[in-house]
Amino acid sequence: MLFRIKSFFNLKTKAKYGLPLVLMALITSQTNAQDNRSFQIFQFPANKIPTIDGNSEDWKIVPENYIVGMDQLWDDSGKQPKADPKNLAVSVKIGWVKGLNRLYFLYEAYDDYWDFSLPGLHNDTFELIVDADQSGGPFIDRFHPNPNLTNTMDAYFSYHGVHAQNYHIFTPAVEKDWTMVWGSQPWIKNLPYANASYKYDFKPGQGGKLTLEFWITPFDYAGNNPSRAVESILEENKNIGLCWAIIDYDDVNKTENNGFWNLSKEHKMYGNASYSLPFKLMPLEKQYKKEIDAKWSFKVVNMAKREVAFVDESEGEITSWNWDFGDGTTSTEQNPIHQYKEAGKYVVILKIQGPKGISQLSKVWDVAVK
């Protein structure tokens, strides 16, 4: 980093602007580069998936250490030197469910002046950036790396929002769709890719509390044609890139906002996924996990030879495995490959044992060969 600063601020630059400016640039670069914050995404048990109804009851099981509050945000517009809970107070919780490529959000906010009476972008907003595969880099048309495509419709349709997504979520949305997807893929805000619900009791210009509950589907590739889209695969212990800003309006007659409360230290995070922050998809909390739990999957590796590979996915401390392949044969290997002599549909059982007890799982006729 020092080499880059020295290269940029050569002797002529120093002579023209002086040493203080050089030091200021160095300090600014260090501040932005040294943002080592990371956050966590709560894993909901499969039997406790939140209902999207604007009610926060389902989220009470999420520990407080998962909350991202105003203490993590800063107003990079410079209009608000520090957060004032009498003016604006926001908390965000994020969840996921193993096996579903969905991100669940609970957005709770108090504002002393809710501005949402106009039909356009002048609306209190939760602007969310999603880069689930952490590919990074610019992703809006005005930042296109090819200067010939900057701010063109070609860039909009082929590039804007494709590898990372930007949601302008209106808080609340009245007589308008719940969010504007900033890009050429508005289909991602509708079912079966997203859903949202609000709860509030204030009118435009009044203060009060808003609860917004929603889920979205992250995409590694999301162009204007949904048939070509590639969903992001959410996996336990994986980091994904997220960021957001709260755009707060306090006067319907003023075109400028009253604050841009940013989670990132870089203002342009709204169009550059490199400025997002890592959020870890956490395992289940201990109280929702069995001490020993048999789980397994399989794959037919050669149908002509009736060869099936079995994969142990059990959880807990395990000392022994016992497979019953349903054809009168067994194995004590953890991940066996079995060859069936005859075609058929089989009941396969995995029994595991460890210091905490015994568990088994059978699957009826899942394994079938011909």
Side-chain angles (χ1 to χ4, degrees):
M1 183 173 66
L2 282 172
F3 175 77
R4 293 177 63 191
I5 293 296
K6 289 177 180 177
S7 298
F8 181 78
F9 289 96
N10 54 32
L11 291 176
K12 184 181 290 187
T13 305
K14 290 180 182 178
K16 182 177 182 180
Y17 296 102
L19 185 60
L21 181 57
V22 178
L23 292 175
M24 183 176 70
L26 177 59
I27 293 170
T28 302
S29 297
Q30 287 178 329
T31 300
N32 293 334
Q34 292 176 359
D35 188 353
N36 296 319
R37 291 174 298 162
S38 61
F39 303 92
Q40 297 179 334
I41 301 177
F42 177 80
Q43 183 178 153
F44 281 96
N47 63 342
K48 295 183 181 293
I49 300 176
T51 301
I52 304 303
D53 57 3
N55 191 326
S56 62
E57 286 296 313
D58 296 340
W59 293 80
K60 287 186 175 180
I61 66 173
V62 181
E64 289 189 1
N65 60 290
Y66 285 88
I67 298 174
V68 182
M70 293 296 293
D71 59 319
Q72 296 292 341
L73 307 180
W74 68 294
D75 179 19
D76 68 8
S77 71
K79 297 168 185 172
Q80 306 294 336
K82 64 178 182 179
D84 179 359
K86 294 181 180 179
N87 173 47
L88 180 68
V90 173
S91 72
V92 180
K93 293 181 181 179
I94 313 174
W96 77 294
V97 179
K98 193 173 183 178
L100 292 178
N101 297 325
R102 294 179 178 180
L103 294 172
Y104 292 81
F105 290 82
L106 177 68
Y107 177 88
E108 296 181 292
Y110 168 81
D111 196 344
D112 65 343
Y113 186 105
W114 288 99
D115 197 339
F116 57 100
S117 62
L118 300 177
L121 279 174
H122 185 108
N123 197 124
D124 286 334
T125 303
F126 177 46
E127 184 173 10
L128 174 65
I129 312 304
V130 185
D131 180 28
D133 63 356
Q134 294 188 306
S135 53
F139 63 92
I140 65 174
D141 52 10
R142 72 176 68 163
F143 296 159
H144 199 289
N146 182 347
N148 294 325
L149 294 178
T150 301
N151 281 328
T152 66
M153 294 308 293
D154 284 342
Y156 180 78
F157 282 109
S158 66
Y159 180 76
H160 196 133
V162 169
H163 78 86
Q165 293 81 50
N166 177 311
Y167 298 79
H168 271 66
I169 303 170
F170 302 117
T171 53
V174 175
E175 297 181 341
K176 65 176 72 171
D177 214 345
W178 72 281
T179 183
M180 180 203 74
V181 171
W182 196 16
S184 63
Q185 52 288 105
W187 54 269
I188 69 174
K189 65 184 174 182
N190 302 320
L191 287 169
Y193 308 107
N195 195 19
S197 182
Y198 298 87
K199 185 178 181 180
Y200 63 94
D201 61 1
F202 48 78
K203 295 179 180 179
Q206 294 181 341
K209 180 181 177 181
L210 174 139
T211 300
L212 165 63
E213 196 176 14
F214 67 96
W215 62 264
I216 58 172
T217 304
F219 290 90
D220 290 347
Y221 178 87
N224 65 317
N225 185 349
S227 66
R228 297 180 57 204
V230 179
E231 288 187 14
S232 304
I233 304 300
L234 302 184
E235 297 175 335
E236 202 167 272
N237 293 313
K238 173 184 175 182
N239 278 332
I240 65 173
L242 292 175
C243 196
W244 57 77
I246 315 301
I247 306 173
D248 182 31
Y249 290 93
D250 273 3
D251 190 338
V252 71
N253 296 313
K254 290 184 178 180
T255 57
E256 289 190 1
N257 62 61
N258 192 47
F260 189 88
W261 294 93
N262 202 335
L263 182 62
S264 174
K265 298 295 176 66
E266 292 282 354
H267 177 74
K268 292 182 179 179
M269 62 85 196
Y270 58 81
N272 191 324
S274 296
Y275 301 142
S276 63
L277 291 162
F279 281 72
K280 187 175 182 179
L281 297 162
M282 297 300 291
L284 283 173
E285 293 286 314
K286 185 177 180 180
Q287 63 267 37
Y288 301 114
K289 297 176 68 173
K290 295 180 181 179
E291 292 185 322
I292 186 167
D293 191 15
K295 296 180 180 179
W296 59 273
S297 64
F298 74 96
K299 182 178 181 180
V300 178
V301 294
N302 190 324
M303 184 63 81
K305 294 183 178 180
R306 305 189 187 99
E307 285 183 345
V308 182
F310 292 91
V311 180
D312 170 50
E313 298 173 346
S314 302
E315 297 177 352
E317 186 178 351
I318 303 164
T319 55
S320 66
W321 296 260
N322 194 302
W323 293 87
D324 181 340
F325 299 119
D327 62 352
T329 63
T330 61
S331 173
T332 56
E333 295 182 40
Q334 182 179 1
N335 300 297
I337 296 178
H338 181 65
Q339 184 174 18
Y340 287 92
K341 294 181 178 180
E342 297 180 357
K345 299 174 288 185
Y346 296 94
V347 177
V348 178
I349 306 169
L350 171 61
K351 184 177 181 179
I352 59 173
Q353 188 168 346
K356 300 295 184 180
I358 298 172
S359 178
Q360 75 173 36
L361 176 65
S362 67
K363 297 187 180 183
V364 179
W365 296 352
D366 278 25
V367 180
V369 292
K370 60 181 180 179

